[in-house]
Amino acid sequence: MSTLIPQTRLYKRRGFREAIRVELILTHFYMRNFEEVLPGSSFLDEELNAIRGGVSENVLAVCDIGKKGDLTCSIGQIGIDDPKEMDAC
Amino acid sequence: MKISKFTIPFHRDSEYFLYNTQSLSLIKVDSESYSIVEKSRTNPEYLQSLPKEYLSRLKEKAILDDDLDTQSNDFRTKMEYIKRFRSFGNKTLSLVIAPTLACNFACPYCYEANLPVSIMNEEVEEKIIDFINSFQHRCDTLEICWEGGEPLLGFNRIRSLLDKIKTRSLLPLAYHSIITNGYLFSEEIANYFCGVNLNFVQITIDGREKTHNKTRVLKSGADSYERIISNIDMITRLIPECMVVVRTNIHEGNKKEFGSIYKEFSKKWENRKVKMFPAFVMPNANCRVSCCSPQEKTDFFIDLKRTEGIEKINFIPRHRIGSCSATSENSYIISPDGDLFKCWNDIGIKDRCVGNVYEGITNNTLIAKYMVGSDKYSSAECKDCSLFPICEGGCNRRRMDNVTQSTNYPLCPFTQKGIEDYLYEHYKICEGNKTD
């Protein structure tokens, strides 16, 4: 793998067409192994629009100090009506 | 182009992953591209050996960023904007009211110690109504959480204060909850709370009967398990619309029991509005149980899935803005004598008092420290941490103490290795589902 940089440069020196060919081979190789386990998402804009519209996030965050305080981090946001799972993180 | 500050490359058993806490993308890749991306942290030129289309995909998933960290910095700024928006823009007045700090229990991990045991008097009650009404131009609604001590030792005060709120508050009561040990929850109390639409009750069960009775012990030394279980059952029958949250305070002595009680009570209260969840005890000055380490916390959840077969565990991190009463403009904790606090753990501690219901706010310095100086956005170290987007930032009170009093409380709620373990667990679940 450490040879990849000089190898690519070498092919590029051999000409544009060869460089394109190498690029395609490498792309195919890497893309074949590119597996999206979690596609990911960002809800920040939706979140902003929601709070502008007066809708608060539906979260029960945990503040683990001592005997109680679960609602500490979620005052104003404690409407968990349909809990489905436990958050490990 | 370079690797984003929010990218975590990790591998397990010859399987290679790139995870980004900004996009929340988890990509499984080959060992070569993994190695190139990882090495690019010290020398971004390594990335030039990857094809453009591939680099473009990695950038799309925020695994890579430009040389100025534009994507990650912009994301972080937007998170902070949301945080401040929430902190200062909330139109709900949220009050935690302790009618008494007295308690009938002697739990070995309780952080409340040597506090006065008086019960709120009628004068304070009247001033609380005035205090609520002073927010009429700033807030639209009112939320209340009753706590203590054991708040049901002051049940008569809760009842009379709720009656006054109903008739004299200029803000409508939109939501109210109670945190109680559950021992004193009688049918009379349940019927009353049903009539005033109690939304939420939290009660703690610390394990099977024998284990529970070791930590949830009455001051007299008597056991509490049977009565609490019976009371939860009664609450779910008499206040069916109320969410009953059963909390287990997890420590070394009971962590292995949670799985079995979770399964037993989930079945017992299957068709009722009950949720169970574990919460780890954190060390405090008065704590007499052995607390779990960060890795033990991670292993706890993974064991629940693997050993106990509990499916309802979410191993996928999500964005955490981080908020609590201490950083919410319109949130206060009110002690029985009418003192105001920003943090639940400050209650009864005079030098943490920010005002009282008689005079209003008297300590703006402390409020300012909490509001803008105690969260993850105030820490340069946190802002460059790869976990920043998915981390709450830990306890604001402890962060403030570390800064202002040179204490050394650990703040990180989890470790990077813990997140990697969770993600790998999730990956294996997905793989298992494919073969099924």
Side-chain angles (χ1 to χ4, degrees):
Chain A
M1 184 267 317
S2 58
T3 60
L4 278 173
I5 291 176
Q7 192 179 32
T8 309
R9 284 177 185 157
L10 178 71
Y11 276 117
K12 283 184 177 170
R13 263 185 242 125
R14 284 184 184 177
F16 182 71
R17 191 172 291 180
E18 187 65 8
I20 295 290
R21 197 178 75 82
V22 171
E23 181 87 5
L24 284 172
I25 291 168
L26 288 175
T27 302
H28 177 72
F29 171 75
Y30 289 125
M31 285 303 188
R32 197 181 54 194
N33 295 302
F34 188 99
E35 182 190 339
E36 287 187 15
V37 182
L38 290 171
S41 61
S42 173
F43 293 111
L44 287 195
D45 288 310
E46 288 88 338
E47 169 70 11
L48 262 174
N49 292 334
I51 59 175
R52 280 200 187 99
V55 181
S56 61
E57 194 190 32
N58 210 14
V59 175
L60 181 80
V62 177
C63 176
D64 296 320
I65 299 189
K67 64 167 185 175
K68 54 199 169 188
D70 301 304
L71 310 182
T72 307
C73 298
S74 54
I75 260 302
Q77 305 161 25
I78 47 181
I80 48 162
D81 292 327
D82 186 22
K84 290 188 174 65
E85 55 191 10
M86 284 183 277
D87 277 334
C89 49
Chain B
M1 204 177 292
K2 65 179 185 180
I3 185 169
S4 162
K5 70 176 97 176
F6 297 145
T7 292
I8 301 171
F10 70 97
H11 65 94
R12 296 282 188 279
D13 302 335
S14 304
E15 292 176 297
Y16 296 85
F17 301 90
L18 300 172
Y19 179 64
N20 184 274
T21 55
Q22 174 190 330
S23 66
L24 304 176
S25 296
L26 177 64
I27 315 289
K28 184 168 180 265
V29 295
D30 61 280
S31 61
E32 287 192 4
S33 53
Y34 172 87
S35 181
I36 291 168
V37 172
E38 197 185 32
K39 281 183 179 179
S40 75
R41 203 181 285 281
T42 48
N43 181 5
E45 283 200 5
Y46 272 101
L47 292 173
Q48 289 175 16
S49 62
L50 289 170
K52 281 178 192 158
E53 194 183 331
Y54 192 75
L55 290 173
S56 169
R57 284 299 296 281
L58 292 179
K59 189 158 187 206
E60 190 185 299
K61 296 292 175 188
I63 303 289
L64 302 179
D65 202 348
D66 64 24
D67 293 340
L68 297 173
D69 296 317
T70 306
Q71 268 196 77
S72 45
N73 285 345
D74 285 354
F75 184 84
R76 197 175 58 193
T77 304
K78 202 149 63 172
M79 281 194 102
E80 185 168 359
Y81 175 48
I82 291 175
K83 169 65 192 288
R84 302 295 175 227
F85 203 115
R86 276 194 197 166
S87 291
F88 295 100
N90 198 330
K91 294 277 189 185
T92 298
L93 173 62
S94 297
L95 299 179
V96 175
I97 303 176
T100 180
L101 294 180
C103 189
N104 51 342
F105 275 31
C107 308
Y109 44 67
C110 185
Y111 59 85
E112 287 181 355
N114 307 315
L115 296 179
V117 293
S118 59
I119 289 186
M120 187 178 281
N121 63 36
E122 195 164 346
E123 188 187 355
V124 172
E125 203 176 272
E126 286 292 328
K127 290 293 173 187
I128 288 176
I129 299 297
D130 294 343
F131 182 71
I132 291 169
N133 289 342
S134 70
F135 284 82
Q136 65 165 314
H137 300 300
R138 278 183 278 168
C139 296
D140 300 330
T141 52
L142 170 67
E143 287 188 357
I144 289 177
C145 178
W146 305 103
E147 78 121 18
E150 167 48 45
L152 292 181
L153 285 170
F155 174 66
N156 288 339
R157 195 51 67 192
I158 292 175
R159 183 156 50 186
S160 77
L161 196 45
L162 271 174
D163 287 346
K164 283 179 182 156
I165 286 168
K166 206 171 169 183
T167 54
R168 290 170 43 200
S169 168
L170 298 173
L171 300 176
L173 182 61
Y175 197 94
H176 68 133
S177 54
I178 185 167
I179 296 181
T180 167
N181 57 40
Y183 193 81
L184 299 171
F185 224 112
S186 63
E187 287 203 6
E188 182 204 345
I189 290 174
N191 283 326
Y192 171 76
F193 277 129
C194 185
V196 292
N197 300 319
L198 183 72
N199 300 95
F200 183 107
V201 55
Q202 179 186 296
I203 295 175
T204 297
I205 298 175
D206 267 358
R208 299 219 154 272
E209 184 165 2
K210 197 174 162 190
T211 308
H212 170 95
N213 284 335
K214 279 184 195 164
T215 50
R216 305 299 289 180
V217 59
L218 273 92
K219 284 211 164 111
S220 65
D223 296 342
S224 66
Y225 183 85
E226 274 187 23
R227 185 155 160 182
I228 291 174
I229 297 292
S230 160
N231 284 349
I232 292 173
D233 205 55
M234 177 261 295
I235 293 165
T236 59
R237 279 189 292 105
L238 297 182
I239 330 177
E241 294 307 312
C242 178
M243 169 64 71
V244 180
V245 170
V246 178
R247 169 178 168 142
T248 300
N249 290 320
I250 304 291
H251 51 86
E252 282 293 329
N254 69 351
K255 66 180 183 183
K256 293 197 186 309
E257 289 186 24
F258 180 76
S260 64
I261 64 165
Y262 178 88
K263 286 187 281 192
E264 181 185 330
F265 293 131
S266 294
K267 194 171 178 190
K268 180 181 172 75
W269 294 311
E270 194 174 10
N271 297 315
R272 302 189 191 179
K273 216 168 169 179
V274 176
K275 176 188 164 73
M276 290 190 69
F277 80 103
F280 295 101
V281 176
M282 274 176 68
N284 63 69
N286 310 304
C287 185
R288 286 178 281 118
V289 297
S290 181
C291 299
C292 298
S293 69
Q295 188 58 45
E296 284 169 333
K297 292 177 186 177
T298 304
D299 294 342
F300 168 82
F301 280 109
I302 291 176
D303 283 348
L304 279 184
K305 171 74 179 67
R306 287 187 191 166
T307 314
E308 301 288 347
I310 295 173
E311 300 291 337
K312 292 179 179 177
I313 300 174
N314 176 28
F315 291 108
I316 307 172
R318 60 187 172 83
H319 293 141
R320 303 261 183 184
I321 303 295
S323 58
C324 71
S325 58
T327 61
S328 294
E329 174 74 3
N330 298 320
S331 290
Y332 294 96
I333 290 87
I334 304 179
S335 68
D337 55 3
D339 281 344
L340 302 172
F341 301 88
K342 287 302 288 174
C343 172
W344 297 39
N345 300 292
D346 287 344
I347 196 163
I349 303 172
K350 280 288 175 190
D351 63 1
R352 298 291 181 129
C353 176
V354 296
N356 57 67
V357 290
Y358 293 85
E359 300 167 276
I361 303 304
T362 55
N363 190 345
N364 281 310
T365 306
L366 185 54
I367 289 186
K369 281 180 182 173
Y370 266 130
M371 290 296 295
V372 294
S374 69
D375 58 23
K376 63 177 182 175
Y377 306 93
S378 65
S379 159
E381 193 184 350
C382 286
K383 284 166 102 169
D384 275 335
C385 173
S386 59
L387 301 174
F388 180 86
I390 59 169
C391 177
E392 281 281 356
C395 171
N396 292 54
R397 182 184 197 259
R398 291 186 168 198
R399 183 185 297 280
M400 192 181 72
D401 284 353
N402 282 355
V403 173
T404 60
Q405 298 184 10
S406 302
T407 51
N408 196 26
Y409 293 121
L411 296 172
C412 302
F414 38 67
T415 61
Q416 183 173 311
K417 185 183 175 300
I419 293 298
E420 293 171 10
D421 288 348
Y422 288 149
L423 290 167
Y424 188 59
E425 193 65 24
H426 175 76
Y427 166 72
K428 290 210 301 189
I429 292 168
C430 293
E431 287 299 292
N433 291 343
K434 277 184 200 167
T435 52
D436 292 345

